[in-house]
């Protein structure tokens, strides 16, 4: 049996990756290490928590001693690193939290992997999950490729860019076998409702306003989370060491158009007259350092590994909406307490 460490597996993307690996690879023992911050939720993994090849460990990647102990005890052969502070708005109010988890936490994991694999690197792999936001902002034309220079603008993207550089530096300096992917915006079930799509689904259900930043013209590429998890599976097993792959949905939307589409779908689902939810749209003051447009060229992963998105945006959005409507209790649980305080601070 091979021991695989997945960090951040109780979060949005992590929970989909953990589920996929636990279900598809009975020959692996999966260790999900997560600090269970506001964004981590074991409810996300209820269906697999009793699987014989699954283990949950509550722990903080900033705690180097703990990380080293875990590597000694379990002799991980693969690491899939998703643990992170992930919300841009939070990074503007508390950049140091992002430095701690995203940079120091990543370096702690790199040190532990380097030390534990130094005698024998064969079959070992450190997979770092990153974002397209490291590339900065695009004008109305062009796409991010794997060779686009880094130009991060928010504390979040600066911390992710830094962690990417550390991963590559450990590859160069210590010969650490790594792969790295930069992905565009994900959406789907289990997404914490501070991010645009789940936030707006929740607000529409509750008849609350839909706060759109600036003029709503910001453009993002969207990918269904299960397509991302499938790409992660493929890169972990088939990607070349020391290579980077961009992952995207070939699915660009201006925020305002996306919000209007969501409003139409929600009116249909909730049996409200068309146009009801659109009335909730309100434009709010822009966030500082807001990037105009992100768009991914996912040609490399397509040509070299045969990956492409499989879920259309309309289908994916519908599956997402259905999940939130069927999981109101999950939504109520995560929107109580700390989140309420954060919401009041950001949008009141
Ligand atoms: N969501 C996206 O659209 C997107 C797109 C591209 C890349 N990414 C990257 O994918 C990864 C996962 O993103 P997500 O959206 O699932 O994030 P998320 O915020 O939903 O989940 C992050 C998880 O990490 C855990 N965590 C946070 N700090 C930790 C620490 N110090 N130690 C251990 N665990 C900790 C949290 O408890 C949570 O379970 C991140 O690295 C993010 O940068 C996200």
């Amino acid at each position: 049996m091979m021991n695989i460490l997945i960090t951040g597996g109780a979060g949005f993307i992590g929970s989909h990756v953990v589920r996929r690996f636990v279900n598809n690879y009975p020959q692996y023992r999966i260790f999900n290490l997560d600090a269970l911050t506001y964004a981590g939720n074991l409810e996300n993994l209820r269906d697999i928590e009793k699987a014989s090849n699954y283990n949950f460990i509550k722990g903080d990647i900033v705690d180097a001693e703990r990380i080293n102990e875990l590597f000694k005890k379990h002799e991980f052969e693969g690491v899939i690193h998703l643990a992170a502070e992930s919300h841009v708005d939070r990074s503007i109010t508390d950049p140091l939290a992002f430095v701690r988890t995203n940079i120091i936490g990543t370096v702690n994991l790199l040190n532990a992997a380097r030390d534990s694999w130094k005698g024998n690197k064969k079959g070992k792999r450190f997979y770092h999950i990153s974002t397209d936001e490291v590339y900065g902002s695009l004008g109305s034309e062009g796409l991010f490729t794997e060779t686009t220079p880094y130009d991060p603008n928010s504390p979040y993207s600066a911390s992710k860019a830094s962690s990417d550089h550390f991963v590559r530096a450990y590859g160069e300096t210590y010969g650490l076998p790594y792969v790295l992917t930069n992905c565009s915006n994900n959406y789907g079930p289990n997404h914490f409702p501070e991010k645009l799509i789940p936030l707006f689904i929740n607000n529409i259900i509750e008849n609350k306003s839909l706060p759109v930043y600036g003029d709503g013209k910001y453009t993002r590429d969207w990918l269904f989370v299960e397509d991302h998890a499938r790409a992660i599976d493929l890169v972990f097993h088939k990607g070349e060491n020391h290579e980077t792959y961009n992952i995207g949905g070939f699915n660009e939307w201006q925020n305002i158009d996306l919000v209007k589409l969501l409003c139409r779908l929600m009116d249909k689902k909730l049996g409200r007259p068309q146009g009801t939810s659109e009335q909730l749209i309100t434009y709010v003051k822009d966030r500082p350092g807001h990037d105009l447009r992100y768009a991914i060229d996912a040609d490399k992963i397509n040509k070299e590994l045969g990956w492409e998105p499989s879920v259309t945006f309309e289908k994916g959005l519908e599956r997402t909406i259905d999940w939130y409507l069927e999981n109101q209790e999950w939504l109520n649980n995560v929107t109580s307490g700390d989140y309420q305080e954060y919401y009041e601070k950001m949008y009141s």
Side-chain angles (χ1 to χ4, degrees), residues 8 10-14 34-37 39-40 59-62 82-84 86 101 129-131 156 160 183-186 191:
F12 167 47
I13 302 172
D34 197 299
L36 299 181
T37 68
D60 189 335
I61 58 169
V62 179
L82 294 121
S86 68
T101 290
I129 312 294
S130 192
T131 165
Y156 165 66
K160 291 298 291 186
C183 185
S184 60
N185 277 21
N186 284 217
H191 207 180

Side-chain angles (χ1 to χ4, degrees), residues 7-15 33-41 59-62 81-87 100-102 105 128-133 156 160 181-187 190-192 194-195 222 228:
T7 69
F12 167 47
I13 302 172
S15 61
L33 172 70
D34 197 299
L36 299 181
T37 68
Y38 78 95
N41 189 343
D60 189 335
I61 58 169
V62 179
H81 174 37
L82 294 121
E85 286 293 340
S86 68
H87 193 46
R100 279 191 291 270
T101 290
N102 299 359
H128 181 61
I129 312 294
S130 192
T131 165
D132 60 353
E133 302 192 26
Y156 165 66
K160 291 298 291 186
T181 51
N182 298 89
C183 185
S184 60
N185 277 21
N186 284 217
Y187 70 98
N190 307 100
H191 207 180
F192 193 81
E194 63 187 350
K195 307 279 170 50
W222 293 92
H228 190 191

Side-chain angles (χ1 to χ4, degrees), residues 198-226:
L199 173 73
F200 283 19
I201 291 175
N202 189 31
N203 284 12
I204 291 171
I205 295 171
E206 294 186 354
N207 267 312
K208 277 163 71 175
S209 70
L210 306 177
V212 173
Y213 280 125
D215 60 3
K217 295 272 162 63
Y218 293 102
T219 304
R220 300 291 180 260
D221 172 67
W222 293 92
L223 178 70
F224 192 58
V225 63
E226 285 174 14

